[in-house]
Amino acid sequence: QSALTQPPSASGSPGQSVTISCTGSSSDVGGYNYVSWYQQHPGKAPKLIIYEVSKRPSGVPDRFSGSKSGNTASLTVSGLQAEDEADYYCSSYAGSNNLVFGGGTKLTVL
Amino acid sequence: EVQLLESGGGLVQPGGSLRLSCAASGFIFSSYAMNWVRQAPGKGLEWVSVIGSSGDKTYYADSVKGRFTISRDNSKSTLYLQMNSLRAEDTAVYYCAKRHSSSWYYSDSWGQGMLVTVSS
């Protein structure tokens, strides 16, 4: 159960778009369409923002979108806003009733 | 409104035991699988365990298998995590989380978290 690989940091100016990658293997990201993304503000619990690679729970702005190609999933935040500054974690089903998370990406809105 | 309230955390010595509880309200607890996810200080999220809605199925991360036991009492709408043989690397904030309607692979409601510190 190795953690998925995410860049430690990402940044963008208000109104811009930023994409965060999440790289795994054929045993997790590449093998299943069960990728999710969570947003976590400091001192708060994580919040589900994307599931099943690209679906958004109700209430999540359509500025957040997800995709996957091969063993890499991506989260794109469009029209960056100050409140988007947070840590973002990807997660994937890894077979045999296991879940694996990424190491997290700190998104800074400049 | 879904509410999940963890309790039972604190300081414990290496090799010791601790039981976390998670009191649920605002949804039909007995209809949903539940997860435990932890986060070491300054680190990322790590899935710990999941239990089926009736408690008949349980799965664990390799890092806790054989040491932790997940259980639930649907009559009390409460989730538990019994942690034995605790190690320093188990130090973390532990979250209970309700599965999303789509699958237990996703958690759409989380508790506020409970800090467990393993240290002598």
Side-chain angles (χ1 to χ4, degrees), chain A residues 2 4 9 11 26-28 30 34-37 39 41-42 52 56-57 62-63 68-69 79 90 94 99-100 102 105:
Chain A
S2 299
L4 305 176
S9 62
S11 62
S26 59
S27 298
D28 37 63
Y34 297 137
V35 175
S36 56
W37 290 89
Q39 176 192 62
H41 288 106
E52 286 182 13
R56 279 179 287 105
D62 58 6
R63 302 186 295 103
K68 190 187 86 166
S69 178
C90 62
L99 282 180
V100 62
T105 298

Side-chain angles (χ1 to χ4, degrees), chain A residues 1 33-36 38 40 44-48 50-53 57 89 91 93 97-103, chain B residues 35 37 39 43-47 50 59-63 65 95 100 102-108 110-112:
Chain A
Q1 288 173 303
N33 287 323
Y34 297 137
V35 175
S36 56
Y38 295 86
Q40 186 180 35
K44 300 295 187 180
K47 174 187 175 183
L48 180 67
I50 295 288
Y51 68 99
E52 286 182 13
V53 177
Y89 294 91
S91 176
Y93 181 65
N97 297 300
N98 283 310
L99 282 180
V100 62
F101 280 92
Chain B
N35 283 290
V37 177
Q39 186 170 33
K43 303 296 184 181
L45 300 172
E46 180 187 16
W47 174 75
V50 63
Y59 303 107
Y60 300 90
D62 287 344
S63 58
K65 200 171 295 183
Y95 295 98
H100 184 265
S102 175
S103 172
W104 72 264
Y105 308 152
Y106 322 115
S107 294
D108 61 1
W110 297 61
Q112 84 288 353

Side-chain angles (χ1 to χ4, degrees), chain A residues 10-93:
Chain A
S11 62
S13 299
Q16 289 186 332
S17 293
V18 64
T19 296
I20 299 170
S21 62
C22 169
T23 302
S25 69
S26 59
S27 298
D28 37 63
V29 175
Y32 307 94
N33 287 323
Y34 297 137
V35 175
S36 56
W37 290 89
Y38 295 86
Q39 176 192 62
Q40 186 180 35
H41 288 106
K44 300 295 187 180
K47 174 187 175 183
L48 180 67
I49 56 173
I50 295 288
Y51 68 99
E52 286 182 13
V53 177
S54 60
K55 296 181 180 179
R56 279 179 287 105
S58 60
V60 174
D62 58 6
R63 302 186 295 103
F64 294 90
S65 61
S67 63
K68 190 187 86 166
S69 178
N71 296 337
T72 299
S74 298
L75 171 72
T76 298
V77 186
S78 304
L80 271 175
Q81 299 182 3
E83 58 262 36
D84 298 333
E85 186 162 295
D87 293 327
Y88 291 84
Y89 294 91
C90 62
S91 176
S92 175
Y93 181 65

